[in-house]
Amino acid sequence: MYVMIIGFIGAGKVGCTLAKYFSLCGMTIAGFYSRTYEHAKIASEFTQTQAFRTLSELVSHCECIFITTAEQQVLMLWDELCQLPIQNKWIGHCSGLLTSHIFNKNKIVHPYAFSLHPLYAIYDRFDCYTAMSGVSFTLETHKNNLSKLHSFFTPLKNPIAFLPAQKKPLYHAACVMLSNQIIALVEIGVELLYQCGLDEKFSEQAWHPLFLSNAKNIYRKGIIDALTGPVERGDIKTINQYLTIMPDELKPIYQQLSTILINISRKKHSNRDCKQLELEL
């Protein structure tokens, strides 16, 4: 196993979560550097590590440096790191969109650059580490680094898949569809409940079991076997009722999503003719 001492630049949600989880898995964490020393101190106390007052101090103590700040700050910090002795240091970030190629000087990418992204919405500094054992990661780096990094991350029992740099925008879009975009669909559904005359308190509570049970069903059975509803049944009459009563601005969204559901339904019912249903949509 390839062992390195890890430091974190950025003491927010991602930094605290990963440092805590990595340390619980047996990896060696030196500590944190942050623009605000108090933030670094809070993170270091949470992870039982050290708070560094300067960036150079952190660099001197670490062999691997994770930049876990907001994306717009990563390049600025990279410029600062370039002024320090990092020639043999591993430098990584945790953005789902940015690649390791941003760590370049005079258009030459740092030889030990990488990005490691957890497929998880880290929403809190002090709680999310408890869920990390079930999270998958993607690793993006030069192919020559893969064996060493896989060895380095051996203490993590998480699934880790290699992701080519050119695929990161598409990958990030997939993550957004699976997380942020679902929020938009929930907003649409709740708004339609309001339009039915149901009060806010009832509506906000009523959708929870429906949403959560469906999510669990997808997780347990898979997308195809979890499919239910009027599209899956080929219920054209019900779908026409929806389209008659639904607000005009929502009809294209419903129609586009239903078209995708038809394609899923074809996989579930290979002998069913869906042409009439497609014409109605």
PDB file of all heavy atoms in Angstrom, residues 42-57:
ATOM      1  N   ILE A  42     -11.259  24.950  13.584  1.00  0.00           N
ATOM      2  CA  ILE A  42     -12.486  24.170  13.804  1.00  0.00           C
ATOM      3  C   ILE A  42     -12.391  22.823  13.085  1.00  0.00           C
ATOM      4  O   ILE A  42     -12.728  21.769  13.637  1.00  0.00           O
ATOM      5  CB  ILE A  42     -13.718  24.957  13.321  1.00  0.00           C
ATOM      6  CG1 ILE A  42     -13.949  26.183  14.220  1.00  0.00           C
ATOM      7  CG2 ILE A  42     -14.965  24.070  13.300  1.00  0.00           C
ATOM      8  CD1 ILE A  42     -14.973  27.154  13.671  1.00  0.00           C
ATOM      9  N   ALA A  43     -11.916  22.848  11.831  1.00  0.00           N
ATOM     10  CA  ALA A  43     -11.783  21.609  11.061  1.00  0.00           C
ATOM     11  C   ALA A  43     -10.759  20.675  11.676  1.00  0.00           C
ATOM     12  O   ALA A  43     -10.960  19.455  11.727  1.00  0.00           O
ATOM     13  CB  ALA A  43     -11.401  21.942   9.615  1.00  0.00           C
ATOM     14  N   SER A  44      -9.659  21.243  12.158  1.00  0.00           N
ATOM     15  CA  SER A  44      -8.613  20.405  12.748  1.00  0.00           C
ATOM     16  C   SER A  44      -9.080  19.764  14.049  1.00  0.00           C
ATOM     17  O   SER A  44      -8.752  18.610  14.348  1.00  0.00           O
ATOM     18  CB  SER A  44      -7.342  21.223  12.990  1.00  0.00           C
ATOM     19  OG  SER A  44      -7.546  22.201  14.000  1.00  0.00           O
ATOM     20  N   GLU A  45      -9.856  20.496  14.834  1.00  0.00           N
ATOM     21  CA  GLU A  45     -10.389  19.920  16.073  1.00  0.00           C
ATOM     22  C   GLU A  45     -11.386  18.809  15.769  1.00  0.00           C
ATOM     23  O   GLU A  45     -11.411  17.777  16.452  1.00  0.00           O
ATOM     24  CB  GLU A  45     -11.045  21.021  16.905  1.00  0.00           C
ATOM     25  CG  GLU A  45     -10.037  21.995  17.508  1.00  0.00           C
ATOM     26  CD  GLU A  45     -10.691  23.196  18.178  1.00  0.00           C
ATOM     27  OE1 GLU A  45     -11.944  23.302  18.114  1.00  0.00           O
ATOM     28  OE2 GLU A  45      -9.960  24.033  18.745  1.00  0.00           O
ATOM     29  N   PHE A  46     -12.188  18.997  14.729  1.00  0.00           N
ATOM     30  CA  PHE A  46     -13.172  17.988  14.343  1.00  0.00           C
ATOM     31  C   PHE A  46     -12.492  16.700  13.879  1.00  0.00           C
ATOM     32  O   PHE A  46     -12.974  15.594  14.139  1.00  0.00           O
ATOM     33  CB  PHE A  46     -14.060  18.555  13.233  1.00  0.00           C
ATOM     34  CG  PHE A  46     -15.015  17.576  12.628  1.00  0.00           C
ATOM     35  CD1 PHE A  46     -16.005  16.965  13.395  1.00  0.00           C
ATOM     36  CD2 PHE A  46     -14.935  17.248  11.270  1.00  0.00           C
ATOM     37  CE1 PHE A  46     -16.895  16.052  12.834  1.00  0.00           C
ATOM     38  CE2 PHE A  46     -15.823  16.349  10.705  1.00  0.00           C
ATOM     39  CZ  PHE A  46     -16.793  15.752  11.496  1.00  0.00           C
ATOM     40  N   THR A  47     -11.352  16.849  13.207  1.00  0.00           N
ATOM     41  CA  THR A  47     -10.652  15.688  12.645  1.00  0.00           C
ATOM     42  C   THR A  47      -9.452  15.262  13.482  1.00  0.00           C
ATOM     43  O   THR A  47      -8.757  14.316  13.114  1.00  0.00           O
ATOM     44  CB  THR A  47     -10.172  15.999  11.218  1.00  0.00           C
ATOM     45  OG1 THR A  47      -9.374  17.192  11.233  1.00  0.00           O
ATOM     46  CG2 THR A  47     -11.360  16.220  10.280  1.00  0.00           C
ATOM     47  N   GLN A  48      -9.222  15.981  14.570  1.00  0.00           N
ATOM     48  CA  GLN A  48      -8.077  15.692  15.448  1.00  0.00           C
ATOM     49  C   GLN A  48      -6.758  15.760  14.673  1.00  0.00           C
ATOM     50  O   GLN A  48      -5.913  14.868  14.738  1.00  0.00           O
ATOM     51  CB  GLN A  48      -8.243  14.333  16.129  1.00  0.00           C
ATOM     52  CG  GLN A  48      -9.469  14.266  17.047  1.00  0.00           C
ATOM     53  CD  GLN A  48      -9.606  12.939  17.764  1.00  0.00           C
ATOM     54  OE1 GLN A  48      -9.223  11.887  17.243  1.00  0.00           O
ATOM     55  NE2 GLN A  48     -10.148  12.967  18.966  1.00  0.00           N
ATOM     56  N   THR A  49      -6.633  16.856  13.923  1.00  0.00           N
ATOM     57  CA  THR A  49      -5.422  17.092  13.140  1.00  0.00           C
ATOM     58  C   THR A  49      -4.905  18.490  13.473  1.00  0.00           C
ATOM     59  O   THR A  49      -5.292  19.081  14.475  1.00  0.00           O
ATOM     60  CB  THR A  49      -5.722  16.960  11.634  1.00  0.00           C
ATOM     61  OG1 THR A  49      -6.738  17.916  11.258  1.00  0.00           O
ATOM     62  CG2 THR A  49      -6.195  15.564  11.297  1.00  0.00           C
ATOM     63  N   GLN A  50      -4.056  19.032  12.617  1.00  0.00           N
ATOM     64  CA  GLN A  50      -3.395  20.310  12.879  1.00  0.00           C
ATOM     65  C   GLN A  50      -3.983  21.420  12.021  1.00  0.00           C
ATOM     66  O   GLN A  50      -4.419  21.191  10.890  1.00  0.00           O
ATOM     67  CB  GLN A  50      -1.900  20.168  12.582  1.00  0.00           C
ATOM     68  CG  GLN A  50      -1.068  21.392  12.930  1.00  0.00           C
ATOM     69  CD  GLN A  50       0.421  21.151  12.723  1.00  0.00           C
ATOM     70  OE1 GLN A  50       0.843  20.001  12.543  1.00  0.00           O
ATOM     71  NE2 GLN A  50       1.210  22.208  12.754  1.00  0.00           N
ATOM     72  N   ALA A  51      -4.006  22.617  12.560  1.00  0.00           N
ATOM     73  CA  ALA A  51      -4.379  23.814  11.795  1.00  0.00           C
ATOM     74  C   ALA A  51      -3.106  24.566  11.431  1.00  0.00           C
ATOM     75  O   ALA A  51      -2.310  24.898  12.321  1.00  0.00           O
ATOM     76  CB  ALA A  51      -5.309  24.699  12.609  1.00  0.00           C
ATOM     77  N   PHE A  52      -2.908  24.811  10.142  1.00  0.00           N
ATOM     78  CA  PHE A  52      -1.709  25.498   9.671  1.00  0.00           C
ATOM     79  C   PHE A  52      -2.013  26.968   9.421  1.00  0.00           C
ATOM     80  O   PHE A  52      -3.035  27.307   8.825  1.00  0.00           O
ATOM     81  CB  PHE A  52      -1.188  24.844   8.392  1.00  0.00           C
ATOM     82  CG  PHE A  52      -0.739  23.423   8.574  1.00  0.00           C
ATOM     83  CD1 PHE A  52      -1.572  22.370   8.203  1.00  0.00           C
ATOM     84  CD2 PHE A  52       0.494  23.131   9.130  1.00  0.00           C
ATOM     85  CE1 PHE A  52      -1.167  21.057   8.377  1.00  0.00           C
ATOM     86  CE2 PHE A  52       0.918  21.825   9.320  1.00  0.00           C
ATOM     87  CZ  PHE A  52       0.076  20.777   8.939  1.00  0.00           C
ATOM     88  N   ARG A  53      -1.106  27.807   9.845  1.00  0.00           N
ATOM     89  CA  ARG A  53      -1.303  29.258   9.688  1.00  0.00           C
ATOM     90  C   ARG A  53      -0.912  29.749   8.294  1.00  0.00           C
ATOM     91  O   ARG A  53      -1.391  30.785   7.844  1.00  0.00           O
ATOM     92  CB  ARG A  53      -0.521  30.018  10.754  1.00  0.00           C
ATOM     93  CG  ARG A  53      -1.085  29.825  12.154  1.00  0.00           C
ATOM     94  CD  ARG A  53      -0.427  30.758  13.159  1.00  0.00           C
ATOM     95  NE  ARG A  53      -1.016  30.606  14.485  1.00  0.00           N
ATOM     96  CZ  ARG A  53      -2.108  31.228  14.903  1.00  0.00           C
ATOM     97  NH1 ARG A  53      -2.735  32.054  14.079  1.00  0.00           N
ATOM     98  NH2 ARG A  53      -2.573  31.037  16.119  1.00  0.00           N
ATOM     99  N   THR A  54      -0.010  29.031   7.621  1.00  0.00           N
ATOM    100  CA  THR A  54       0.421  29.440   6.284  1.00  0.00           C
ATOM    101  C   THR A  54       0.339  28.264   5.326  1.00  0.00           C
ATOM    102  O   THR A  54       0.407  27.091   5.726  1.00  0.00           O
ATOM    103  CB  THR A  54       1.869  29.963   6.290  1.00  0.00           C
ATOM    104  OG1 THR A  54       2.757  28.885   6.623  1.00  0.00           O
ATOM    105  CG2 THR A  54       2.030  31.100   7.303  1.00  0.00           C
ATOM    106  N   LEU A  55       0.215  28.599   4.051  1.00  0.00           N
ATOM    107  CA  LEU A  55       0.166  27.568   3.018  1.00  0.00           C
ATOM    108  C   LEU A  55       1.491  26.828   2.933  1.00  0.00           C
ATOM    109  O   LEU A  55       1.522  25.601   2.766  1.00  0.00           O
ATOM    110  CB  LEU A  55      -0.174  28.214   1.672  1.00  0.00           C
ATOM    111  CG  LEU A  55      -0.457  27.284   0.490  1.00  0.00           C
ATOM    112  CD1 LEU A  55      -1.586  26.316   0.819  1.00  0.00           C
ATOM    113  CD2 LEU A  55      -0.787  28.096  -0.751  1.00  0.00           C
ATOM    114  N   SER A  56       2.583  27.539   3.061  1.00  0.00           N
ATOM    115  CA  SER A  56       3.905  26.905   2.975  1.00  0.00           C
ATOM    116  C   SER A  56       4.113  25.903   4.102  1.00  0.00           C
ATOM    117  O   SER A  56       4.757  24.863   3.913  1.00  0.00           O
ATOM    118  CB  SER A  56       5.013  27.958   2.992  1.00  0.00           C
ATOM    119  OG  SER A  56       4.976  28.711   4.193  1.00  0.00           O
ATOM    120  N   GLU A  57       3.553  26.189   5.262  1.00  0.00           N
ATOM    121  CA  GLU A  57       3.678  25.274   6.390  1.00  0.00           C
ATOM    122  C   GLU A  57       2.951  23.962   6.083  1.00  0.00           C
ATOM    123  O   GLU A  57       3.464  22.867   6.354  1.00  0.00           O
ATOM    124  CB  GLU A  57       3.100  25.924   7.654  1.00  0.00           C
ATOM    125  CG  GLU A  57       3.352  25.144   8.927  1.00  0.00           C
ATOM    126  CD  GLU A  57       2.757  25.820  10.153  1.00  0.00           C
ATOM    127  OE1 GLU A  57       2.070  26.856   9.994  1.00  0.00           O
ATOM    128  OE2 GLU A  57       2.968  25.300  11.268  1.00  0.00           O
TER     129      GLU A  57
END
